Amino acid sequence: MVIPANIPHWQVHVMSRRPHRILYGPDRKAQNREEDVVYILSGSGESWRQRSLDAHSASDGTLLVHVNTRDVMTGPLANVSWRIMDPTRAQYGDGGRLRYGENQ
């Protein structure tokens, strides 16, 4: 997983979507640097989908990647999140990024 340099951040979590159960993190290695930060998560996309299901998540195994940022805002909060609707497929860009109020 790569969080790009335009999102300087200090903490990352991977969670089940419903309810929010932490599956990875908090990982604080980024230290607000303005550079791409790579996170190596062990296991396949299918194993992460299963972890989400095992956490009593939404029935489809969706994941939520939540990043606490230095200065990138989603509404009044300094954080960004992405829904990973199908963890078995690669996702790039902001297609699944949550907008303010969507992190319920």
Side-chain angles (χ1 to χ4, degrees):
M1 178 171 71
V2 178
I3 306 300
N6 66 332
I7 303 178
H9 62 285
W10 59 274
Q11 182 169 263
V12 169
H13 290 91
V14 176
M15 301 181 234
S16 60
R17 195 178 74 161
R18 248 184 230 131
H20 294 329
R21 299 263 165 79
I22 296 172
L23 306 174
Y24 172 82
D27 190 327
R28 297 185 175 111
K29 76 178 181 181
Q31 300 177 353
N32 285 321
R33 296 179 306 226
E34 292 183 23
E35 60 187 56
D36 290 355
V37 180
V38 177
Y39 296 90
I40 306 296
L41 305 179
S42 63
S44 66
E46 179 56 35
S47 70
W48 282 94
R49 187 185 79 75
Q50 189 60 52
R51 289 177 196 189
S52 181
L53 289 169
D54 292 346
H56 307 291
S57 185
S59 62
D60 59 2
T62 301
L63 296 174
L64 181 70
V65 175
H66 184 75
V67 179
N68 295 107
T69 68
R70 182 183 74 198
D71 53 13
V72 178
M73 304 296 284
T74 299
L77 305 172
N79 64 56
V80 294
S81 298
W82 291 266
R83 280 181 287 236
I84 310 300
M85 300 304 285
D86 183 355
T88 65
R89 298 175 56 186
Q91 178 173 319
Y92 302 94
D94 278 347
R97 186 167 167 184
L98 298 174
R99 305 299 173 216
Y100 180 60
E102 291 182 334
N103 64 337
Q104 304 303 316

